[in-house]
Amino acid sequence: MEYSFYQLAWFFLVYAFAGWVFSTVVSAIRAKKFVDPGFLLGPYCPAYGFAGVLFAVFLSDLKEDLFFLFLGGVVLSFLVGITAGFFLERIFHRKWWDFSKRRFQFGGYVILPLMILCGLAAVLCVVLWNPLLEDGISLVPSTLGKILLAVIYGMLAADLLATVTSFRALKIRLNKIDILENISENLEKATDTLGKGLAGWALKHVSHAYPNLETKKLLAARKEHEQQREKAREKAGVFAAGCSFYKLVWLFFLASFLGDIVETIFCYITMGSLMSRSSVVYGPFSVVWGFACVLLTAILHQYRDRSDSYIFAFGTILGGTYEYACSILSELVLGTVFWTYEHIPFNLGGRINLLFCFFWGIAAVVWLKVLYPFLSSFIEKIPKRIGILLTWILILFMTFNMLLSGLALMRYSERNTEHTPPGNRLEAMLDEHFPDSRMEKIYPKAIIIDQR
């Protein structure tokens, strides 16, 4: 089921309001008084709106398979909860919800019982509520509906701007006090790297050998000290210290390049021929791998010292969900399928299969335990000024590269399905510089949807 942008815009508002009502009722029952759980002034929780839209876009194909629909709802809700909690904390410097003292929680942002409820909600959304909303939206005259959307989203944007501005003003006032209180802390020297590594190794293995000992508190203290150390290193002028924006950008490029090389070698070993595995028209970059490694790093960075089995389980689930989402997006946006697993057992709609999900789990372990520490150390050795300049050059290059690749793929699909001549200068330029022969060389495994 494909929904239009107009319908999805209404879905977002309806689910954002419904989520606010649900959260308000739950908070009121617990506190025995009215509590507004949202960070905006109006009656809406954007996280629920995004979740509803994601359910409609990515899970509609699973309408006939309720188990995978439920599982997809759980995973998507997990990602929305982690992302929303992380960015709200980074922007406003406070946690809007905290499950850190509850069992079966992850990062204090999400908790298993709530994720199960979200999985059930995903089933109800896709099977029952979305068709009803679709019928209801169709009853509203198109012109009136668009006017209402413009007014409501304008109010929402003003609400967001006012909220961010207010918290920023409060942060500036608080920072003046923090500067005086943290002078002594800023003068503290960073712990010796070798000593930190030996202490962490000892604490970790003692806790496994003697689980009754209270080493978890020491490990928690060590984790807090590492976070303080990363902040001190960042203030001292180390480029991309910790899991920062600049670090993630460089990891994206390095992982995209390494992923392309790995896929090329794998295809040569299994198929006996060299072929392009790049996602873009310029350079050997597989952005699917790049975004995957950034996602894994951002979510699991604070848990990188956990056991291999823990990381493998999360990598398997997150990797499978990520690959499934990429498959749907390539069809919806580009009109092209880059891979299909229809011939492999235990596949789901040909988009993912169990064996490759296990490969994602293995890749997660290798990435966090082996490659990430090495690449992180390499990135931090770049001089800060040069690193910042190169980062923005790479961002501009890849933004242009991905945009041009998307336009070339959409025109390639259009040429092969509708057989229409170029209608403007841009399409003529794409036909000239990216003809079918070149596109087939760059994307040898791409399948135009209407030709499947």
Side-chain angles (χ1 to χ4, degrees):
M1 178 69 68
E2 293 185 13
Y3 296 101
S4 65
F5 178 80
Y6 174 77
Q7 291 172 319
L8 293 176
W10 276 112
F11 282 10
F12 175 86
L13 293 178
V14 171
Y15 285 120
F17 174 73
W20 179 85
V21 172
F22 170 77
S23 300
T24 301
V25 171
V26 173
S27 300
I29 292 175
R30 288 179 176 175
K32 297 182 179 180
K33 62 179 181 179
F34 175 78
V35 177
D36 187 350
F39 72 95
L40 296 175
L41 300 177
Y44 28 70
C45 289
Y48 288 95
F50 283 118
V53 170
L54 292 177
F55 292 163
V57 173
F58 294 109
L59 302 182
S60 294
D61 288 350
L62 302 177
K63 190 174 183 178
E64 304 300 327
D65 196 328
L66 296 184
F67 171 76
F68 284 105
L69 176 56
F70 166 78
L71 184 61
V74 171
V75 176
L76 284 179
S77 301
F78 171 84
L79 294 175
V80 171
I82 287 288
T83 304
F86 176 83
F87 281 105
L88 284 174
E89 185 177 356
R90 292 300 183 275
I91 294 172
F92 298 112
H93 299 278
R94 58 164 289 188
K95 278 194 172 184
W96 292 89
W97 60 86
D98 188 2
F99 299 117
S100 57
K101 296 181 180 180
R102 305 279 295 274
R103 297 182 62 188
F104 308 113
Q105 57 86 25
F106 187 90
Y109 299 123
V110 295
I111 186 172
L112 182 59
L114 181 58
M115 294 301 99
I116 293 175
L117 287 178
C118 290
L120 295 174
V123 175
L124 292 175
C125 285
V126 173
V127 176
L128 179 61
W129 297 335
N130 286 353
L132 293 176
L133 284 176
E134 187 178 7
D135 294 337
I137 293 170
S138 65
L139 297 177
V140 181
S142 178
T143 302
L144 176 60
K146 291 178 181 178
I147 293 175
L148 288 174
L149 284 178
V151 172
I152 296 173
Y153 275 98
M155 295 172 60
L156 196 154
D159 190 345
L160 177 62
L161 179 61
T163 302
V164 173
T165 303
S166 300
F167 271 89
R168 182 169 179 79
L170 177 62
K171 177 186 173 184
I172 291 174
R173 289 197 297 269
L174 292 176
N175 281 345
K176 292 179 180 179
I177 301 175
D178 292 339
I179 291 174
L180 297 176
E181 292 180 347
N182 294 331
I183 290 179
S184 59
E185 179 182 342
N186 293 336
L187 295 177
E188 182 180 353
K189 292 184 179 180
T191 306
D192 181 76
T193 303
L194 179 60
K196 178 183 73 69
L198 290 175
W201 180 88
L203 288 172
K204 180 178 178 181
H205 287 273
V206 168
S207 65
H208 286 304
Y210 304 98
N212 293 328
L213 295 179
E214 295 185 358
T215 53
K216 290 185 178 180
K217 294 181 179 179
L218 296 176
L219 287 171
R222 171 177 168 254
K223 181 179 179 181
E224 183 179 355
H225 184 72
E226 284 184 0
Q227 293 175 347
Q228 294 175 352
R229 179 175 178 271
E230 287 182 354
K231 292 180 181 179
R233 291 171 65 241
E234 186 174 358
K235 292 179 180 179
V238 176
F239 174 66
C243 189
S244 63
F245 168 77
Y246 291 109
K247 174 74 65 65
L248 292 177
V249 171
W250 277 84
L251 290 176
F252 167 79
F253 275 91
L254 293 173
S256 297
F257 174 74
L258 294 175
D260 183 272
I261 301 301
V262 170
E263 279 202 50
T264 301
I265 296 174
F266 178 78
C267 289
Y268 179 76
I269 294 174
T270 57
M271 302 179 186
S273 61
L274 289 173
M275 65 177 68
S276 170
R277 301 305 299 158
S278 177
S279 305
V280 289
V281 293
Y282 294 123
F285 301 104
S286 179
V287 297
V288 173
W289 283 98
F291 283 121
C293 290
V294 168
L295 180 67
L296 283 171
T297 304
I299 294 178
L300 296 178
H301 176 264
Q302 58 182 323
Y303 300 99
R304 63 191 183 279
D305 292 330
R306 290 287 189 96
S307 65
D308 293 352
S309 57
Y310 181 92
I311 296 176
F312 172 82
F314 264 96
T316 298
I317 296 173
L318 291 178
T321 304
Y322 171 75
E323 188 172 11
Y324 190 94
C326 288
S327 175
I328 291 179
L329 282 176
S330 67
E331 284 192 25
L332 293 178
V333 179
L334 304 176
T336 308
V337 175
F338 292 97
W339 65 84
T340 177
Y341 303 124
E342 294 176 348
H343 61 287
I344 300 179
F346 306 107
N347 74 82
L348 184 60
R351 302 184 190 279
I352 60 174
N353 71 85
L354 186 60
L355 178 61
F356 278 39
C357 287
F358 288 155
F359 285 166
W360 279 109
I362 296 172
V365 175
V366 173
W367 174 256
L368 287 175
K369 296 292 187 178
V370 180
L371 293 178
Y372 171 76
F374 172 76
L375 294 176
S376 177
S377 176
F378 166 75
I379 294 169
E380 291 179 0
K381 292 178 181 178
I382 300 175
K384 190 170 184 178
R385 290 186 178 179
I386 296 176
I388 293 175
L389 177 62
L390 287 178
T391 299
W392 287 106
I393 291 175
L394 291 174
I395 290 175
L396 291 175
F397 163 72
M398 188 55 76
T399 301
F400 169 77
N401 200 1
M402 292 174 63
L403 178 61
L404 183 61
S405 301
L407 293 172
L409 279 166
M410 286 189 283
R411 180 57 188 158
Y412 173 54
S413 176
E414 187 179 273
R415 285 199 303 265
N416 285 272
T417 55
E418 301 177 11
H419 307 286
T420 56
N424 51 54
R425 289 186 177 181
L426 176 61
E427 291 183 350
M429 183 274 292
L430 293 172
D431 288 352
E432 178 183 357
H433 293 280
F434 301 100
D436 289 355
S437 58
R438 183 176 181 183
M439 296 301 289
E440 290 168 1
K441 185 176 181 180
I442 298 174
Y443 307 104
K445 287 291 185 177
I447 303 172
I448 306 299
I449 294 177
D450 288 355
Q451 295 180 348
R452 293 184 64 189

